[in-house]
Amino acid sequence: MPSDAVSLEPRILRIGEQLARLSAGLSPSMFDSRWWSQTAINLAMKDEGFKTQLFRFIDVLPSVADDEQVVALADEYFGESGTQIFGLQWGLKALSATGLGARLSGKAIRKQVEQMARSFIAGSSISEAVPVLAGLWKEGRAWSVDLLGEATVSEQEAEHYAARCRHALTALAEAAPGWPGAPLLEQDHLGALPRVQLSLKISALSSLLDPVDPDASYRAIAPRLRPLVALAQDLSASLIFDMEQADTKDLILSIFMSLFSEEAYRTYRHAGLALQAYHRDTERDIDTLLAWTRSRGVPITVRLVKGAYWDSDTVLYRQRGWPVPLFEQKEETDANYERLTRTLLRHHLLIRPAFGTHNLRTLAQVEAVAETVGLGAEAWEYQMIFGMAEPFQQAVTKLGRRLRLYTPVGELLPGMAYLVRRLLENTSNESFLRKEYVESEPLPRLLAPPLIEAKAAPAVRREDTGFDNEPHSDFSRPETHAAMRAALDLAGSRLGRRIALPTESGFTGGELTSRNPAHPSQVVARVAAAAAADIPRVVAAASGGWLRWRSTPPEQRASMLRRAASLMRARRLGLAAWEVFEEGKPWREADADVAEAIDFLEFYAREMIRLAEPRRLGAAPGELNHRLYGPRGVTAVIAPWNFPLAIPTGMVSAALVTGNAVVFKPSERSPLIGCLLVEILLEAGIPSDAVICLPGNPDVGRALVTDDGIATIAFTGSKNVGLWILNQAGQVAPQQRMVKRVIAEMGGKNAIIVDATADLDEAVTGVLASFTGYAGQKCSACSRAIVHASIYDVFLKRLTEAVESLPIGDPKDPWTRMGPVIDERAQANVRSYIELGKQEGRLLIERQPKGEGYFVGPAVFADIETRHRLAQEEIFGPVLAVMKAPTFREAIELANATAYALTGGVYSRSPVNLEEARRSVDVGNLYLNRPITGALVNRQPFGGHRLSGVGAKAGGEDYLAQFMISRIVSEHTLRRGFAPAE
């Protein structure tokens, strides 16, 4: 603790005791025993499981229109405890068995939750909120209005939010002048303060914001921000940018500084933004803002808060494998807040400090620092949340300090996410209000300085234990963004080169030319190709190589795979750049493919070490039984083009690490990436006769399948080709000595069910990502959305607008979300299905992208029926068939009504329906409340059944066994009546 901070402690204690006296006699409404929710809140603070259920129920409730379903959901979430929570013991429980009773009970439950929500929301509209805001002003409290709304999933919704903001500014500016004067609220040390303040959600002003491209994000949002700032200037109103999720922090800072650096807004004196003390780099951000403000010459407001997204941000960063940019102990956040308090107050001539807090210690610390700096009370303000911490609101008002309440206005449906955040804050173990008003901690402890506990350093993991997925690149980081641009520039400078491998000697198939699907005239690479006539010689060479390779110890083979993973990791962005050019993958899609390839190498290396150890079977005395694995022989790997590195890496490395030799045929549509994979494997130490790259056209693959020397065929591709391979593999030639095994993954006709209780924000964005990701060219892509009848129309409207807003273009541009399809043949096929869809269903939208490449805009068709081809045939493009289902059970039946069983998804907030989905949706990979693409090695082992595949799970613990034979060795150990000790 700094020496000046230590010297503040007596002041903090004195001021804290004074504030405690001023706040005495009043309890926060959240903990008022007269409030209906007291029972629920108490239970939530005692039982984390119940707390989760309560908040999830509150989240889903406003989207349920039917009162009977409200009762059913309450029963699903709470069971018998619902009686206690919602007061159903007052005669409503018995009535709920009847339709009338259910409606009465549903209305009662809804009314109670709405009562809780309204305690934090000033009104459903600005006109409804104005009397509340006027009352606050007359009580000596300023305000900052926050317009609640659904997540913005389209530019139409963004424009609607902008219009609401303009209306709010105008209406509030008309109402506020009639209120009585309040010098404390209207003047600070830097001059006049507006009566009207609006807090803006930057993410709500554009659906296109993406930290991967700050410049394009600014170009997208500035046209909506500029009129708002101009209006605020004209009306003498204040605008504050709210801070949101961690991955958008730097983007919001950049937008703020760019906007208010523009000549028209440089002199605007009432701009501000919120900063979150739980960010590790907020101190650096404040230094940046101070330097910028000096240059601009006009002060800004900084609202310092501790932060409202800690829980979700922490989970997401850990899920992605990225370093968490937030303090992970509350005490660290508290200590950082106090450091930043000193910085802001010392720079009060550049910054109007606004301290957002409900913490008695923090209030006292701000007062103590201000005393030492010699500031008058007008030089800063406190901000609290409407409906929270009323005792502290009273205390700072009595103390003669300016208080501003962050005041939400909006409908209850979009307000539920806001309400849940407020409940989380109030009921968390670290909540100051909970500690004081529920747990009654003594005042000295409440006013004690934050004590940061030293955490032990994490144990160093041994090399061959455990597995962590390779994190995807965070392109919002400037250094990563710049590295990807450099990789693209380097690849661009080497376009058209000829790729040579030591395994290509004697190929007679001429040359394959790889082209950029976004610019078909651009040659990416030229690769020597094999012909069908080359196959016997190549397989014979691989057979000879296998005799040596199979004798290589498993540990050595695994070590080579891990060496290959290290090489791939070092060349990661270079490989991704080549995928951008050769396959038309946008940045994130290309990077994810490389990360998954690394995962396969690392995971299968570890798995082989596990499987190589003979496993004892049984424990009977006098005998030893062991299971041993061995390689099958030469494996033919026939790979697709859509995941040109990950899928072949998985199949090739699985075959190699288990001791098989591999003849690898990359797709003729992605020969360059296939060759680069083999280059890495050879450099890692794999012998050139154990892995042979065989670029060629489809006839080469057919000849490879039918060659007698092939023991195993690993294939990923279309259903028709997969079934042909399975048929061919069953035909045994006279000289053949091994029954061929086929490991086939053959695509899908994947459905996402959207239930009546779904979070529509998540469902729309999840379906959009799942059917347009890599232009729908994924076997896991969503091609059917099955939507409950009660939300069918609103879902279609929001999805259509989201599709209309999707950025389509050259994948070399980081702004692009969807690029071209792979080639002219694919383009023609997708367009033929779009024409078919116009006959079978109702066209909602068909984008018409421009450009020379093989672009096909996403198309959405409504009212598709099971009998339609659009509901049955795999398209492999951005075409979505939307189907209506009257019940959840019928939605599952529709989802299962195809020959495929690969992936599927369900968006629902009904525990019963989610459990039913687990039991009944017949797919290999089922995803609940998330997109259905993007399976990760070991976390979501991937593969389907029925006509989607043979059931093998790539990236799972049973996958390597598919490439091996299993032998049992049984030894009788009893000799002359003596058995060795075991």
Side-chain angles (χ1 to χ4, degrees):
M1 183 183 295
S3 58
D4 61 337
V6 174
S7 66
L8 286 177
E9 290 308 313
R11 294 175 187 258
I12 291 172
L13 184 60
R14 169 179 55 80
I15 296 168
E17 290 172 344
Q18 180 186 11
L19 289 169
R21 289 192 298 272
L22 292 173
S23 65
L26 185 64
S27 174
S29 61
M30 174 66 71
F31 304 116
D32 192 322
S33 60
R34 294 167 296 176
W35 203 29
W36 77 267
S37 65
Q38 179 63 22
T39 300
I41 294 300
N42 281 340
L43 281 171
M45 289 188 290
K46 293 174 183 175
D47 183 339
E48 283 295 318
F50 171 78
K51 178 170 158 179
T52 298
Q53 293 298 89
L54 174 65
F55 293 172
R56 286 182 172 178
F57 176 75
I58 290 171
D59 180 52
V60 68
L61 182 64
S63 65
V64 182
D66 180 76
D67 288 328
E68 292 187 24
Q69 192 175 13
V70 171
V71 176
L73 279 170
D75 186 58
E76 289 180 31
Y77 277 95
F78 306 113
E80 288 300 316
S81 62
T83 299
Q84 182 182 9
I85 299 163
F86 295 109
L88 301 186
Q89 68 270 27
W90 300 332
L92 292 178
K93 183 180 180 184
L95 284 172
S96 65
T98 70
L100 174 62
R103 288 192 293 277
L104 289 172
S105 300
K107 288 190 189 317
I109 292 171
R110 195 189 303 276
K111 183 177 180 181
Q112 290 172 350
V113 175
E114 288 177 356
Q115 175 192 350
M116 176 160 48
R118 286 196 178 94
S119 67
F120 297 108
I121 299 173
S124 60
S125 64
I126 288 295
S127 59
E128 191 177 301
V130 163
V132 178
L133 300 173
L136 293 175
W137 184 267
K138 290 171 186 175
E139 294 171 2
R141 303 176 193 192
W143 41 261
S144 185
V145 165
D146 167 42
L147 296 178
L148 298 173
E150 298 165 317
T152 297
V153 302
S154 68
E155 288 304 274
Q156 291 91 328
E157 291 180 2
E159 183 52 46
H160 177 65
Y161 177 77
R164 289 176 62 211
C165 290
R166 292 191 296 269
H167 168 72
L169 284 172
T170 303
L172 293 170
E174 288 175 356
W179 302 343
L184 178 64
L185 305 182
E186 297 183 79
Q187 189 80 19
D188 72 358
H189 63 299
L190 296 176
L193 293 174
R195 293 188 172 193
V196 173
Q197 185 176 104
L198 185 66
S199 290
L200 297 176
K201 285 285 187 296
I202 297 304
S203 65
L205 281 166
S206 176
S207 65
L208 304 178
L209 293 186
D210 191 339
V212 74
D213 195 336
D215 292 339
S217 294
Y218 186 67
R219 289 194 297 271
I221 199 170
R224 291 197 184 95
L225 276 171
R226 290 181 184 120
L228 283 174
V229 178
L231 181 61
Q233 283 179 316
D234 290 344
L235 299 175
S236 295
S238 173
L239 291 177
I240 307 293
F241 287 21
D242 275 337
M243 194 55 69
E244 304 180 50
Q245 282 78 11
D247 61 352
T248 63
K249 175 184 71 68
D250 290 343
L251 180 60
I252 291 173
L253 282 167
S254 170
I255 290 170
F256 179 84
M257 290 188 288
S258 296
L259 180 70
F260 293 108
S261 294
E262 292 186 7
E263 193 59 37
Y265 316 118
R266 283 182 65 91
T267 58
Y268 177 55
R269 300 183 61 82
H270 301 296
L273 81 167
L275 294 177
Q276 297 156 323
Y278 60 33
H279 273 282
R280 295 180 183 275
D281 54 5
T282 297
E283 189 167 9
R284 181 204 67 191
D285 295 336
I286 289 178
D287 289 342
T288 300
L289 284 168
L290 286 169
W292 172 78
T293 303
R294 288 190 189 96
S295 171
R296 179 173 178 256
V298 178
I300 63 170
T301 297
V302 170
R303 174 195 292 154
L304 184 64
V305 299
K306 293 187 178 174
Y309 299 93
W310 184 92
D311 299 88
S312 59
D313 279 342
T314 301
V315 168
L316 288 173
Y317 272 77
R318 287 175 177 164
Q319 202 177 74
R320 294 167 181 166
W322 294 349
V324 178
L326 316 176
F327 292 114
E328 298 191 53
Q329 297 182 59
K330 184 181 182 298
E331 292 77 11
E332 291 177 295
T333 297
D334 289 342
N336 193 44
Y337 194 101
E338 295 192 4
R339 284 193 298 272
L340 300 177
T341 294
R342 293 192 288 273
T343 300
L344 293 180
L345 288 173
R346 287 168 182 164
H347 291 89
H348 57 277
L349 296 179
L350 294 172
I351 285 177
R352 288 184 157 104
F355 298 104
T357 183
H358 303 134
N359 185 303
L360 186 62
R361 157 83 192 186
T362 304
L363 292 170
Q365 191 260 349
V366 170
E367 292 285 332
V369 172
E371 274 189 10
T372 62
V373 176
L375 293 182
E378 74 283 356
W380 76 93
E381 71 181 33
Y382 295 112
Q383 296 197 0
M384 298 183 190
I385 292 172
F386 178 80
M388 281 181 63
E390 292 94 332
F392 295 154
Q393 293 183 27
Q394 173 179 278
V396 299
T397 302
K398 286 181 178 178
L399 196 63
R401 302 296 185 258
R402 185 166 61 256
L403 173 66
R404 189 179 305 276
L405 298 184
Y406 185 82
T407 308
V409 175
E411 298 291 341
L412 291 181
L413 174 58
M416 284 302 106
Y418 175 84
L419 172 60
V420 168
R421 287 202 300 275
R422 299 289 78 83
L423 293 175
L424 279 168
E425 289 172 9
N426 277 272
T427 60
S428 72
N429 291 331
E430 293 80 17
S431 164
F432 184 92
L433 296 178
R434 170 177 172 169
K435 287 179 178 179
E436 178 167 2
Y437 292 99
V438 178
E439 298 169 358
S440 301
E441 286 199 5
L443 190 60
R445 189 182 302 172
L446 293 172
L447 292 172
L451 179 63
I452 301 172
E453 298 179 6
K455 288 190 174 180
V460 177
R461 193 177 64 201
R462 291 174 56 191
E463 184 174 352
D464 285 314
T465 61
F467 167 78
D468 291 321
N469 294 99
E470 185 73 13
H472 294 177
S473 295
D474 181 0
F475 290 116
S476 69
R477 299 181 66 84
E479 64 274 18
T480 309
H481 189 280
M484 184 63 182
R485 287 225 182 252
L488 287 164
D489 290 343
L490 179 60
S493 71
R494 302 173 71 191
L495 292 175
R497 68 183 179 130
R498 189 181 187 280
I499 305 299
L501 287 172
T503 58
E504 77 175 48
S505 177
F507 285 173
T508 63
E511 195 172 73
L512 290 176
T513 300
S514 169
R515 296 183 179 274
N516 182 349
H519 302 281
S521 61
Q522 189 176 74
V523 174
V524 177
R526 294 180 171 86
V527 178
D534 300 326
I535 298 303
R537 176 176 55 81
V538 171
V539 173
S543 298
W546 175 57
L547 296 176
R548 292 177 291 277
W549 177 246
R550 68 180 180 178
S551 300
T552 304
E555 295 80 7
Q556 190 174 338
R557 299 195 300 258
S559 178
M560 291 179 191
L561 255 62
R562 299 198 67 186
R563 195 175 308 138
S566 295
L567 291 168
M568 198 174 285
R569 195 175 286 115
R571 301 171 191 177
R572 173 174 179 162
L573 293 182
L575 291 165
W578 281 119
E579 289 200 24
V580 171
F581 282 109
E582 187 176 48
E583 282 75 40
K585 280 182 178 274
W587 284 27
R588 289 191 178 101
E589 300 268 5
D591 175 74
D593 191 52
V594 183
E596 186 177 10
I598 295 170
D599 281 348
F600 279 127
L601 292 166
E602 294 280 7
F603 181 70
Y604 290 155
R606 287 170 169 81
E607 281 294 289
M608 191 63 233
I609 299 299
R610 179 178 67 86
L611 294 173
E613 190 70 27
R615 180 182 173 189
R616 171 91 184 262
L617 304 176
E623 67 178 39
L624 281 177
N625 303 300
H626 286 101
R627 183 193 68 195
L628 302 94
Y629 282 117
R632 290 177 50 82
V634 178
T635 298
V637 171
I638 302 174
W641 50 266
N642 60 332
F643 290 89
L645 190 63
I647 290 178
T649 297
M651 295 190 292
V652 170
S653 65
L656 286 172
V657 81
T658 50
N660 302 281
V662 173
V663 179
F664 163 45
K665 182 201 171 296
S667 170
E668 65 277 9
R669 289 160 151 173
S670 57
L672 169 61
I673 299 297
C675 291
L676 295 178
L677 166 60
V678 174
E679 278 186 359
I680 287 172
L681 294 172
L682 294 174
E683 189 174 339
I686 310 289
S688 60
D689 56 1
V691 56
I692 301 175
C693 188
L694 197 72
N697 286 304
D699 62 319
V700 172
R702 289 191 290 269
L704 193 56
V705 166
T706 57
D707 191 278
D708 299 340
I710 297 296
T712 307
I713 303 164
F715 167 79
T716 298
S718 72
K719 178 189 70 174
N720 290 339
V721 175
L723 293 178
W724 178 84
I725 291 173
L726 285 161
N727 180 61
Q728 291 296 311
Q731 300 177 24
V732 181
Q735 67 273 31
Q736 189 173 326
R737 300 187 63 184
M738 171 75 77
V739 175
K740 292 181 181 179
R741 175 176 292 169
V742 179
I743 306 161
E745 192 270 282
M746 300 182 294
K749 188 66 181 174
N750 313 300
I752 292 178
I753 296 171
V754 184
D755 180 26
T757 64
D759 182 321
L760 277 185
D761 296 341
E762 294 183 358
V764 170
T765 56
V767 169
L768 180 70
S770 298
F771 100 88
T772 63
Y774 191 38
Q777 300 174 113
K778 301 180 183 182
C779 56
S780 59
C782 175
S783 60
R784 295 178 295 150
I786 303 170
V787 184
H788 192 279
S790 64
I791 58 168
Y792 187 74
D793 291 336
V794 66
F795 175 85
L796 290 179
K797 178 180 183 296
R798 296 193 71 194
L799 179 65
T800 300
E801 292 175 350
V803 171
E804 180 64 42
S805 304
L806 186 72
I808 302 172
D810 189 336
K812 187 179 175 183
D813 184 346
W815 185 244
T816 293
R817 307 276 179 90
M818 196 185 99
V821 295
I822 190 65
D823 60 16
E824 188 175 18
R825 175 160 53 103
Q827 183 185 53
N829 181 64
V830 175
R831 284 177 174 170
S832 71
Y833 274 103
I834 291 175
E835 293 308 309
L836 175 66
K838 293 174 182 178
Q839 301 170 30
E840 292 186 334
R842 173 165 55 98
L843 177 65
L844 293 176
I845 183 171
E846 179 189 2
R847 293 284 300 278
Q848 301 286 352
K850 299 176 182 178
E852 61 171 315
Y854 301 121
F855 290 94
V856 181
V860 180
F861 295 92
D863 308 337
I864 297 297
E865 300 176 9
T866 301
R867 61 185 174 84
H868 291 150
R869 288 175 58 192
L870 222 61
Q872 295 296 327
E873 298 177 13
E874 186 175 34
I875 301 172
F876 230 63
V879 179
L880 182 71
V882 187
M883 310 169 77
K884 184 189 296 186
T887 67
F888 187 73
R889 179 66 253 176
E890 289 174 86
I892 291 178
E893 291 172 1
L894 288 173
N896 290 340
T898 74
Y900 296 96
L902 186 56
T903 68
V906 173
Y907 281 90
S908 174
R909 289 178 287 186
S910 161
V912 167
N913 285 353
L914 291 173
E915 186 56 37
E916 175 67 13
R918 291 175 185 270
R919 288 193 304 267
S920 304
V921 178
D922 186 22
V923 292
N925 286 64
L926 176 63
Y927 299 95
L928 305 178
N929 292 316
R930 55 149 286 178
I932 66 172
T933 60
L936 294 174
V937 170
N938 193 44
R939 280 157 65 175
Q940 298 109 21
F942 187 78
H945 52 277
R946 287 196 270 148
L947 295 190
S948 285
V950 298
K953 286 289 190 182
E957 60 183 13
D958 60 347
Y959 189 69
L960 293 189
Q962 310 291 320
F963 293 84
M964 296 188 284
I965 57 171
S966 175
R967 298 188 300 118
I968 304 298
V969 177
S970 182
E971 179 184 359
H972 180 67
T973 61
L974 186 65
R975 295 284 203 305
R976 304 291 182 186
F978 169 76
E982 298 174 3

